[in-house]
């Protein structure tokens, strides 16, 4: 079985600059269920440490909610402190930390209750999100 995914780009409205992206995955393969997770994300290096990744992850949670997922898994390498902080700041619950057999790296596995997280942080992020529904390519419809 092939894992299905959606890629969304985070574009800053003021200058149309791509700030980051989100990779939302569902129908995970057995390997992905262990260490791949439902959401992957990244922020342009020059835009890191500005709070964009919290918005990025929040938008990823909105996308998985649209797909009907109520619980999702995210993973990050133990040494990726920025990603760990982002996940924890939005309420990700650490399930386990162990070596990922795919790459041999110590990896933390977190879980989110999607509906609870979106409801909890809606007031914080709603003013930073603009969705342009006129764009037909869904991978380009979220803006900061």
């Amino acid at each position: 079985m092939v894992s299905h995914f959606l890629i969304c780009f985070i574009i800053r409205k003021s200058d149309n600059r791509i700030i980051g992206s989100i990779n939302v995955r569902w129908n995970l393969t057995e390997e992905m269920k262990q260490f791949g997770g439902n959401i992957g994300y990244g922020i342009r290096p020059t835009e890191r440490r500005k709070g964009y990744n919290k918005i990025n992850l929040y938008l990823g949670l909105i996308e998985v909610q649209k797909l009907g997922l109520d619980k999702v898994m995210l993973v990050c390498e133990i040494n990726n402190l920025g990603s760990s902080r982002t996940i924890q700041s939005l309420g990700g619950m650490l399930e386990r930390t162990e070596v990922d057999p795919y790459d041999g790296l110590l990896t933390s596995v977190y879980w989110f209750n999607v509906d609870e997280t979106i409801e909890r942080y809606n007031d914080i992020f709603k003013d930073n999100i603009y969705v342009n529904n006129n764009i037909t390519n869904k991978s380009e419809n979220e803006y900061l």
Side-chain angles (χ1 to χ4, degrees), residues 13-134:
K13 188 177 179 185
S14 63
D15 60 3
N16 280 337
R17 184 179 178 110
I18 294 176
I19 301 299
S21 64
I22 314 161
N23 183 345
V24 176
R25 302 176 287 264
W26 63 98
N27 293 337
L28 301 177
T29 63
E30 289 305 312
E31 293 83 13
M32 294 290 288
K33 288 178 184 176
Q34 295 302 310
F35 286 101
N38 298 100
I39 298 175
Y41 53 78
I43 296 294
R44 175 188 296 271
T46 59
E47 302 299 332
R48 292 180 183 159
R49 300 186 64 125
K50 297 179 182 179
Y52 288 124
N53 216 25
K54 290 178 186 175
I55 297 168
N56 200 11
L57 176 53
Y58 183 77
L59 288 170
L61 293 169
I62 289 172
E63 289 300 320
V64 297
Q65 185 183 52
K66 290 176 187 177
L67 295 167
L69 300 176
D70 59 353
K71 189 175 177 185
V72 294
M73 180 178 78
L74 277 84
V75 301
C76 74
E77 296 173 19
I78 194 85
N79 293 327
N80 187 341
L81 300 178
S83 188
S84 293
R85 285 188 201 121
T86 296
I87 292 169
Q88 292 169 8
S89 73
L90 288 181
M93 301 299 296
L94 180 64
E95 176 187 74
R96 61 185 156 69
T97 299
E98 60 187 71
V99 175
D100 180 344
Y102 179 76
D103 58 17
L105 297 173
L106 192 58
T107 301
S108 295
V109 177
Y110 294 89
W111 286 92
F112 280 91
N113 178 307
V114 176
D115 294 335
E116 284 179 12
T117 304
I118 289 173
E119 184 177 325
R120 183 179 311 129
Y121 294 97
N122 183 52
D123 287 340
I124 295 170
F125 295 119
K126 68 181 178 184
D127 293 335
N128 295 313
I129 299 170
Y130 168 74
V131 177
N132 184 343
N133 292 319
N134 294 325

